[in-house]
Amino acid sequence: MRLVINWAASCGGCDVSLLDCREVVMSLAEHDVLYWPVALDFKQKDLKALEDKSMDFGIVNGAIRTSEQEEELKIVREKCKVLVAYGSCACFGGIPGLANQFDRESILRRAYVEAQSNLEGQEVIPKPETEIDGFQLTLPEFFDSVKPLDRVVKVDYYVPGCPPSSSTIEEFARSLSNPPERRFFASDKSLCHDCPRNQTKGAKKIAKINRPHELKADEECLLEQGELCMGFATRGGCGGRCISVNMPCRGCYGKLPAMVDVGDAISTIASITGNGEDYIPAPKIFDALNAVKDPVGLFYQFSLPSSLINSFSADRSK
Amino acid sequence: MQPRISILICTCGGQILEKIDLNVLHEKIKDLDHVTGIKTVDNLCKLETSDIRSYISDCDRVLFAGCSERSSLSFNEDRIHSLLEELGIDISMYEVANLREQCAWAHSDKNGATGKAIDMVRMAHAKLKLNTPAVKPPEIVKKALVIGGGPAGIQTAMEAGNSGIDVTLVEKNHYLGGHACQIPFLFQCEGWPSMCTSECIVPVQARNVIFNPNVTVLTNSLVQDIKKENGNFKVTIQKRAEFVNPERCVSCNKCSDICPEEVEREFDCNISKRKAIDKDFYLAIPDTYNIIEEACTKCGECLNVCPTDAIDLDAKVEIIEDTFGAIALATGFDSFDLSRLQELNYGENVISSLEMERLIARGFRDAPEHVVFQLCTGSRIEEGEEGVSYCSKTCCGVAVKQIERLTSMSPETEVSVVYNNDIRTYERALEQFYNDSKDLVDFINGRIMNVERNNGKLNITVESPDGDEEDIEADILVLSEAQIPAASDMIEKLGLRTDIYNYPLEGQPRILKPTESYIDRIYVAGAAGGPKIVQESIEQGITAAMRIVQALKGKKPQKFVSTVDSELCSACKICEKVCPHGAIQVDEEAVVDSAFCQGCGLCVSACPTHALQLTNFQDRQVLEQVEVAFGNLSEDEPRILALLCYWCSYAAGDLAGYNRLQLPENLRTIRIRCSSSINSGLIMEIFRRGVDGILIAGCPPKNCHHVSGNYMTAKRVRLMNMLMSQIGLSPSRLKWEYIGVPMWKTLGKSIKDMDKALRKLGRIKVRG
Ligand code: SF4
Ligand code: SF4
Ligand code: SF4
């Protein structure tokens, strides 16, 4: 099997997750890895030198933020028979995708001008082209928004997760030789479906949403305790690593197949919270949701760039 | 088979014709797919069914373009249903384009109104072609279960039984009558200042069920389990061991005479004793002795004396399983636990008003010198105090009634009443008792702060509202204890939603639905639903029985029913939490019992997997309507879509038209189910399809027909507004309003405000 592994806008965790997985490391001996810049000293020219469609698999993690990432992704696509979006950033845009709440200018201004770490008077905003002492310096272009891979090229398989859990990676590694029909290496049912805590979910509504540190019972459904556990709206298959250590699911395996948008979870949360609302002044009913300060960050934590709401142009400059 | 749609347009005696060019309308809709005929008539509502039959041609569905199906006084949805039944057309297979109230009456420009009318007919058409036949309900079992054998329960069972319904009445005590038989003198009613003795009333009432061939009475029994199954209730009843066979027992008392074991007589609030084998009181019905299992040592003495061989000390618990089509909850009330008010020293000579009833029934050994009553004990409390914040309604009346009894039995007894700011003896009778007592009683405004026992006397400290303290010496202190709901376990088993006081919620609109709960065919009668005098409980029993008789005739097919796509369902149980009508149960996957589903759509907007959809109100149908809704509006006009709830808000939209309130022509409305039948994904998708502003309106606070759909959507919109701000969309594009029927002006203003805001913002922009 001939492989290409590349990264784009990502934290590096996805590459580490591959190296962390015994199954993957052991199988490296059987495969030819012809490009993997994180692990070995490859340059773009090595990638370009490969023949078109000569690679069996291209595995790309990270989202697309810059022109260089986009260019490389397109090359990988050309060289590989099968392209795999690996990790939540590649699949849905991931954490870097949260930047899509802001446009390029405000992001650069924030990073290179406003941030306290910038030396006063020496703020420089990087540009694709700069002339210094008669020399023309170039940098990849910083796009206006972050995109998941499938907004740029055709993606054959999705391996979600931030990073993908070892069970998902193993399943994926095993399937290299025998690619499955389904395109998502995750369950089509929600995490609740397999969650041992689900039985403790009752028929009553939840009084209010709490912050994670307010968690009480160890075995009880986190949502039932008012934690904003996104398990009900997220594909299972991760093995419940977060919930098993009392951390609510944040949704890194992505939305369920029939959901319009990952934010459909908003609909659910609004429906299941609030008690005794008939007895309080109407504006007070919102208090149950006081802990929700940042809906994009909560509901779209891993998926903003692939979401429906990302398709609206701002009414005002963001 | 392809749909075949007949369109009937009504000129409404010219009212629609004046404002809408019906020729243009006809021309523009004649090529719509699946239309088999279009007919314009003058007064649809005045036509005979036979005329209508001749106008609709070869169709399986009808599109009415005329007045509002919600608000029309002459051609509303009920009339349409019976018309369709007569025509042999499925009751789901119609839609209405509300050309009168929400178009002709709302717009003055004929061109604009005609364009909108075309869109409205197209919307109705787009939806209608996707409609599916009404869902046939399962067979409803013609049997009713009544839980609780007090006045309300007995009456329900008797009335339903008399109407031919097979009734099972379950009572936990050994006898029927509930608290009513502990109260020797019952108010007759609220209007007549007289009393009847329970010693007459209760046996008269109880015999009516005991000897009713259609009623099975199970005393000393408990409802163990209730499960909904295929539209009915599968119930497990535990009949506790029946040591004395009522078929044989002749109530001769021989067993009791010989029985060596004495125990407290609960019927008498434990102020007297009974034997382990005994009768709770001599008039108890069924007329049989019983054994208190915990007290009986099984010595066997009674066996030797029983002349009829009625006693079986080895009797066993019996489990009865049965299926019922309707249930009445008539479990009465419980008394607030007075020992929680420590300062009152509840106990010897400090008694509850129910205990006072027993004292009155038994007579006083020595006439007390001074009896003090305190009203509102545990009722009408302030925050942080023990008790309930509501008024228990009957206690003031009961107190003055007891005073009347007391003073006539013992005229020399001095009586004082400590009351909480006012005395609530309402209506003619209770106020009369109060007026009659005024000369005999010292009424003190205040509150008892402390009670001490001292040599058989009570030292009572009363504090006035001004903070002045007064000490009173008395022999007996009677505390008018608060009434609280009984049988909370039963409420839970039935899955009834409760108010904050734990009383089961009544169905909305409550005015029209006394005794109805939020679950189809579960009725709540008598004090189980809140404090009542006996006559009211009887009234409620009659009402509940009437409802049962009607309900057990079977259900009509339903247009709107929630359905589950099991491929998608993840068994997360969210829908179970949300369904206000107890129609969903989730085990391996969600199962909707259509006979309980009221088609509100609350589950649909909550289900994260989109496994749930309502028949005839599918997301797809909403989107199809949106697609054609603005076809006759110029590109630069902002598009406003008002999603108005089925009951209050849509009617307000109609009233706006009725009052000729002129609304922007770029407004389109969809009559949705509950305001919470639209999920946030669908809202976003509607925006994506180019609608610039969405207004969702639902019933005002405390008035939702589905418990809390309005609050759900208020919160949904709040979260979405936050989200929209974050991504740079103006929150003014999505609004929530509580709109009751008469609030048409508010609705109109909200729409106009949105129109203004959207004109500033411009059309919504969607990137590719
Ligand atoms: S909400 Fe979270 S904790 Fe609760 S059942 Fe679902 S995944 Fe488990
Ligand atoms: S809410 Fe939806 S996914 Fe969850 S159990 Fe109900 S139908 Fe299934
Ligand atoms: S929530 Fe409403 S629509 Fe859904 S099952 Fe319950 S009654 Fe039916």
Side-chain angles (χ1 to χ4, degrees), chain A residues 11-207:
Chain A
C11 63
C14 278
D15 287 295
V16 175
S17 76
L18 282 172
L19 290 169
D20 247 1
C21 180
R22 192 173 144 269
E23 194 119 343
V24 171
V25 177
M26 302 299 281
S27 68
L28 281 178
E30 302 157 24
H31 304 306
D32 282 339
V33 180
L34 286 129
Y35 186 73
W36 193 0
V38 161
L40 300 157
D41 186 19
F42 287 108
K43 293 285 178 282
Q44 205 191 65
K45 63 174 175 17
D46 302 319
L47 179 62
K48 281 185 172 157
L50 300 171
E51 240 175 76
D52 282 3
K53 296 287 174 254
S54 62
M55 299 290 108
D56 295 302
F57 279 92
I59 301 167
V60 180
N61 68 70
I64 303 303
R65 166 97 263 181
T66 69
S67 56
E68 184 190 37
Q69 291 158 353
E70 185 175 72
E71 185 192 354
E72 285 193 0
L73 175 62
K74 286 180 176 162
I75 305 173
V76 172
R77 178 70 271 193
E78 269 166 26
K79 305 298 172 194
C80 302
K81 292 184 193 127
V82 172
L83 181 74
V84 180
Y86 184 95
S88 302
C89 300
C91 293
F92 324 116
I95 302 274
L98 284 172
N100 282 7
Q101 294 170 80
F102 315 97
D103 62 12
R104 167 180 32 215
E105 278 61 45
S106 40
I107 294 169
L108 293 177
R109 196 175 343 106
R110 174 74 200 142
Y112 294 102
V113 180
E114 294 163 4
Q116 283 73 3
S117 54
N118 291 303
L119 278 184
E120 228 179 283
Q122 294 186 22
E123 301 93 346
V124 181
I125 293 187
K127 287 188 240 141
E129 283 175 19
T130 317
E131 209 188 279
I132 292 181
D133 302 336
F135 291 100
Q136 203 59 28
L137 302 183
T138 61
L139 278 175
E141 187 194 340
F142 188 86
F143 288 155
D144 197 46
S145 63
V146 173
K147 286 174 279 196
L149 304 191
D150 60 8
R151 295 281 159 107
V152 181
V153 295
K154 178 173 172 280
V155 169
D156 301 300
Y157 290 104
Y158 297 83
V159 182
C162 185
S165 72
S166 50
S167 59
T168 304
I169 302 171
E170 279 164 23
E171 195 197 335
F172 167 62
R174 274 196 300 272
S175 71
L176 282 182
S177 47
N178 186 17
E181 232 165 73
R182 61 181 192 137
R183 300 177 60 207
F184 249 95
F185 282 84
S187 169
D188 283 347
K189 302 261 167 167
S190 73
L191 182 57
C192 292
H193 186 260
D194 305 317
C195 177
R197 300 178 188 238
N198 196 28
Q199 301 132 355
T200 64
K201 219 184 258 147
K204 292 219 169 76
K205 293 201 349 183
I206 294 156

Side-chain angles (χ1 to χ4, degrees), chain B residues 401-586:
Chain B
K401 177 198 76 175
Q402 289 180 346
I403 290 165
E404 193 271 354
R405 285 287 96 190
L406 174 64
T407 49
S408 59
M409 285 158 76
S410 151
E412 64 281 13
T413 298
E414 196 191 323
V415 180
S416 310
V417 172
V418 180
Y419 65 95
N420 173 6
N421 287 310
D422 40 17
I423 292 170
R424 300 183 169 186
T425 46
Y426 60 96
E427 253 269 39
R428 291 158 292 170
L430 274 53
E431 193 71 6
Q432 176 84 56
F433 280 117
Y434 167 57
N435 286 333
D436 291 348
S437 74
K438 271 186 188 158
D439 293 342
L440 311 167
V441 176
D442 182 15
F443 284 97
I444 306 164
N445 187 6
R447 167 178 184 153
I448 297 177
M449 304 307 286
N450 193 36
V451 178
E452 302 282 342
R453 289 193 182 82
N454 191 357
N455 278 333
K457 290 276 185 190
L458 300 170
N459 284 335
I460 301 171
T461 313
V462 180
E463 192 188 86
S464 75
D466 304 330
D468 302 334
E469 285 196 355
E470 180 187 350
D471 283 333
I472 313 175
E473 199 184 71
D475 305 287
I476 296 176
L477 170 60
V478 183
L479 301 170
S480 295
E481 76 276 28
Q483 283 186 31
I484 56 171
S488 49
D489 57 328
M490 221 36 79
I491 292 171
E492 196 152 306
K493 281 185 184 129
L494 288 165
L496 290 171
R497 308 257 158 183
T498 60
D499 63 15
I500 51 165
Y501 311 108
N502 296 324
Y503 283 106
L505 288 180
E506 294 174 271
Q508 175 70 11
R510 289 157 168 83
I511 294 185
L512 300 175
K513 296 188 172 176
T515 74
E516 283 186 46
S517 75
Y518 266 95
I519 300 182
D520 195 50
R521 288 169 284 118
I522 297 184
Y523 305 90
V524 179
K532 283 180 189 61
I533 63 166
V534 172
Q535 195 208 34
E536 281 181 286
S537 292
I538 303 261
E539 272 170 16
Q540 289 223 313
I542 299 171
T543 310
M546 190 70 191
R547 298 269 148 131
I548 289 173
V549 171
Q550 292 303 321
L552 294 189
K553 286 184 179 156
K555 285 181 76 88
K556 294 204 161 178
Q558 293 154 266
K559 183 169 184 178
F560 304 106
V561 170
S562 178
T563 55
V564 189
D565 181 338
S566 39
E567 288 281 297
L568 297 177
C569 172
S570 290
C572 67
K573 301 194 193 180
I574 299 273
C575 49
E576 220 177 52
K577 261 190 197 315
V578 169
C579 176
H581 304 297
I584 308 188
Q585 209 174 312
V586 183

Side-chain angles (χ1 to χ4, degrees), chain B residues 11-50:
Chain B
T11 66
C12 197
Q15 296 196 79
I16 292 177
L17 189 61
E18 266 167 34
K19 290 289 176 54
I20 297 169
D21 188 331
L22 293 182
N23 290 328
V24 175
L25 174 68
H26 191 285
E27 190 52 33
K28 291 281 178 160
I29 60 174
K30 72 174 197 303
D31 295 326
L32 287 174
D33 50 0
H34 309 303
V35 173
T36 56
I38 305 176
K39 174 78 186 168
T40 303
V41 297
D42 265 338
N43 292 305
L44 188 51
C45 59
K46 307 275 189 270
L47 295 179
E48 297 292 332
T49 308
S50 56

Side-chain angles (χ1 to χ4, degrees), chain A residues 100-102 144-145 151 188-194 198-206 223-224 232-233 256-261 263-283 285-286 288-289 292-297 299-300 304 308-318, chain B residues 492 497 499-501 505 510 566-574 576-578 588 602 605-611 619 676 678-682 684-685 687-689 701-703 707-708 710-720 722-731 733 736 738 761-768:
Chain A
N100 282 7
Q101 294 170 80
F102 315 97
D144 197 46
S145 63
R151 295 281 159 107
D188 283 347
K189 302 261 167 167
S190 73
L191 182 57
C192 292
H193 186 260
D194 305 317
N198 196 28
Q199 301 132 355
T200 64
K201 219 184 258 147
K204 292 219 169 76
K205 293 201 349 183
I206 294 156
L223 191 62
E224 192 73 20
F232 63 84
L256 293 160
M259 284 168 77
V260 178
D261 211 6
D264 293 6
I266 285 180
S267 221
T268 308
I269 291 301
S271 291
I272 60 173
T273 43
N275 274 332
E277 290 166 315
D278 286 324
Y279 298 89
I280 52 178
I285 65 164
F286 300 118
L289 298 171
V292 182
K293 306 276 186 222
D294 169 17
V296 170
F299 298 104
Y300 294 80
L304 184 59
L308 189 156
I309 62 162
N310 194 57
S311 63
F312 296 111
S313 299
D315 277 327
R316 46 167 176 76
S317 70
K318 290 188 211 178
Chain B
E492 196 152 306
R497 308 257 158 183
D499 63 15
I500 51 165
Y501 311 108
L505 288 180
R510 289 157 168 83
S566 39
E567 288 281 297
L568 297 177
C569 172
S570 290
C572 67
K573 301 194 193 180
I574 299 273
E576 220 177 52
K577 261 190 197 315
V578 169
E588 296 293 295
L602 260 57
S605 61
C607 172
T609 69
H610 293 258
D619 288 359
S676 188
I678 301 279
N679 62 60
S680 63
L682 186 59
M684 282 301 173
E685 180 60 25
F687 278 130
R688 202 183 65 79
R689 295 190 184 210
K702 301 184 180 66
N703 277 40
V707 183
S708 54
N710 50 356
Y711 305 128
M712 291 176 180
T713 302
K715 282 180 289 181
R716 184 169 298 120
V717 169
R718 164 65 65 104
L719 288 178
M720 292 185 72
M722 287 167 75
L723 182 75
M724 291 164 77
S725 311
Q726 283 185 294
I727 58 161
L729 272 186
S730 167
R733 292 188 184 278
W736 159 259
Y738 293 103
L761 283 171
R763 302 281 322 268
I764 201 161
K765 288 178 278 304
V766 183
R767 293 183 235 129

